[in-house]
Amino acid sequence: MENPIGIFDSGIGGLTVAKAISEALPHENFIYFGDTAHLPYGDKSKESIRLYSKRISDFLVGKNCKAIVIACNTASAHAYDILKKRHPQIPLINVIDPTVEYCSKKYMNQSVGVIATKGTIQSRIYPRKIKKANNTLSITQTATPLLAPMIEEGYFNNNISQTIINSYLSAKQLKSISALILACTHYPLIKPEVENFFKKKVEVIDSASVVAEYTKTLLTKKKLLNNNKTEGHKSFFISDYTKSFEATSRLFFGEKIKLEEERIWD
Ligand code: DGL
């Protein structure tokens, strides 16, 4: 129960998920791995994402993680099934299923939009899974590839970012939706700007908080929660260290953290 939760992403964007998990489960230890050597995943092939995800999950299992959270939509879309087979002994959580479950229970006969990287959109994983869970819903989606690099540069919450966001959200696919899924690790940071565009008439679903609640429920059910009452220990690894990643990590985690380099590829 005291073993850490492993969390991984293509880079530091998944720190939004790590942050939500640390707030929902403050006593848990966790190990975060960001694959900055291969960032971005959003436009890589399925084969590459699978290879990277296998290596990272092996690294986390080698660190005795009691559960693994794939905190990246693109890796969840392409690699969840193969990781499930590779590590059948530990709970594996992706960022898609909890969000699909949330939407399919809450909405009926309505339209739900999805914005994400090209990889996630082209996989059609959200329409397929949501339709399977609730076929009264109609799903529309659009790729928003400029948003992740823009956010990563700290470029949001200003007039120009709002204009880019507005231009993507004006897509005809997103007319008359009741909810919009922010299906990318970076997007919780622009949630207020997205809400602004829809004038609060559309529920903007930030998968980080949905996944954190799901992780809590699952670990409780499996009796894997850490009973210690002290604050959990957190370690952060990235596969290619630069000072700029360390500086940017603050945007995503909300506080200063120390990133360590772990070149699991050598
Ligand atoms: N982490 C990726 C995702 O959630 C976004 C960044 C990338 O393309 O690597 O899809």
Side-chain angles (χ1 to χ4, degrees), residues 85-99:
K85 288 199 191 112
R86 195 172 180 87
H87 308 290
Q89 75 285 10
I90 52 170
L92 180 70
I93 296 152
N94 65 63
V95 282
I96 298 171
D97 290 331
T99 315

Side-chain angles (χ1 to χ4, degrees), residues 30 34 39 46 66 73 95 118 120 166 181 186 222 245:
F30 72 72
L39 184 79
K46 189 198 250 184
K66 62 181 174 186
N73 278 268
V95 282
K118 284 187 206 160
T120 301
N166 291 359
I181 300 174
H186 291 50
K222 296 206 174 275
F245 277 129

Side-chain angles (χ1 to χ4, degrees), residues 10-256:
S10 56
I12 48 182
L15 288 171
T16 54
V17 179
K19 179 75 183 164
I21 291 178
S22 77
E23 281 165 5
L25 295 165
H27 309 302
E28 292 298 328
N29 302 313
F30 72 72
I31 298 180
Y32 181 87
F33 190 93
D35 190 12
T36 48
H38 298 111
L39 184 79
Y41 278 10
D43 50 13
K44 297 272 181 334
S45 70
K46 189 198 250 184
E47 290 69 30
S48 297
I49 307 292
R50 288 183 167 175
L51 174 70
Y52 306 152
S53 302
K54 279 196 234 171
R55 296 242 191 120
I56 298 167
S57 61
D58 289 352
F59 168 79
L60 294 171
V61 170
K63 295 263 181 206
N64 296 320
C65 289
K66 62 181 174 186
I68 294 183
V69 180
I70 311 175
C72 171
N73 278 268
T74 315
S76 294
H78 293 318
Y80 174 70
D81 290 343
I82 56 151
L83 295 191
K84 192 115 193 97
K85 288 199 191 112
R86 195 172 180 87
H87 308 290
Q89 75 285 10
I90 52 170
L92 180 70
I93 296 152
N94 65 63
V95 282
I96 298 171
D97 290 331
T99 315
V100 165
E101 188 182 305
Y102 174 86
C103 270
S104 50
K105 285 197 176 137
K106 181 154 183 192
Y107 292 95
M108 270 291 169
N109 297 309
Q110 276 151 303
S111 180
V112 174
V114 179
I115 57 170
T117 63
K118 284 187 206 160
T120 301
I121 296 299
Q122 282 162 7
S123 74
R124 297 196 53 78
I125 189 111
Y126 279 93
R128 278 192 282 120
K129 288 203 170 197
I130 296 177
K131 274 279 178 203
K132 200 165 163 202
N134 178 347
N135 69 8
T136 73
L137 295 178
S138 82
I139 318 301
T140 55
Q141 47 168 19
T142 184
T144 48
L146 285 180
L147 297 185
M150 177 184 92
I151 298 164
E152 196 148 322
E153 284 299 319
Y155 206 76
F156 53 94
N157 213 5
N158 61 46
N159 289 343
I160 298 176
S161 64
Q162 185 77 61
T163 306
I164 296 172
I165 292 165
N166 291 359
S167 147
Y168 275 133
L169 298 180
S170 307
K172 63 175 183 324
Q173 298 94 301
L174 302 179
K175 294 262 178 293
S176 39
I177 52 172
S178 303
L180 178 72
I181 300 174
L182 302 182
C184 175
T185 49
H186 291 50
Y187 300 173
L189 275 76
I190 53 163
K191 189 174 179 184
E193 290 176 86
V194 176
E195 285 176 332
N196 238 347
F197 174 84
F198 289 111
K199 309 213 169 1
K200 308 245 175 194
K201 288 188 186 120
V202 165
E203 184 191 6
V204 179
I205 302 167
D206 148 11
S207 41
S209 45
V210 176
V211 170
E213 278 313 308
Y214 183 92
T215 305
K216 186 174 177 178
T217 310
L218 187 74
L219 293 185
T220 310
K221 220 186 318 178
K222 296 206 174 275
K223 302 200 175 2
L224 279 174
L225 282 183
N226 189 350
N227 293 326
N228 286 348
K229 291 287 163 260
T230 49
E231 196 186 318
H233 180 264
K234 308 172 183 76
S235 331
F236 301 90
F237 296 97
I238 55 175
S239 50
D240 186 26
Y241 177 84
T242 65
K243 266 206 151 64
S244 76
F245 277 129
E246 185 139 316
T248 311
S249 65
R250 197 173 194 156
L251 286 178
F252 292 89
F253 201 68
E255 60 192 85
K256 193 165 164 40

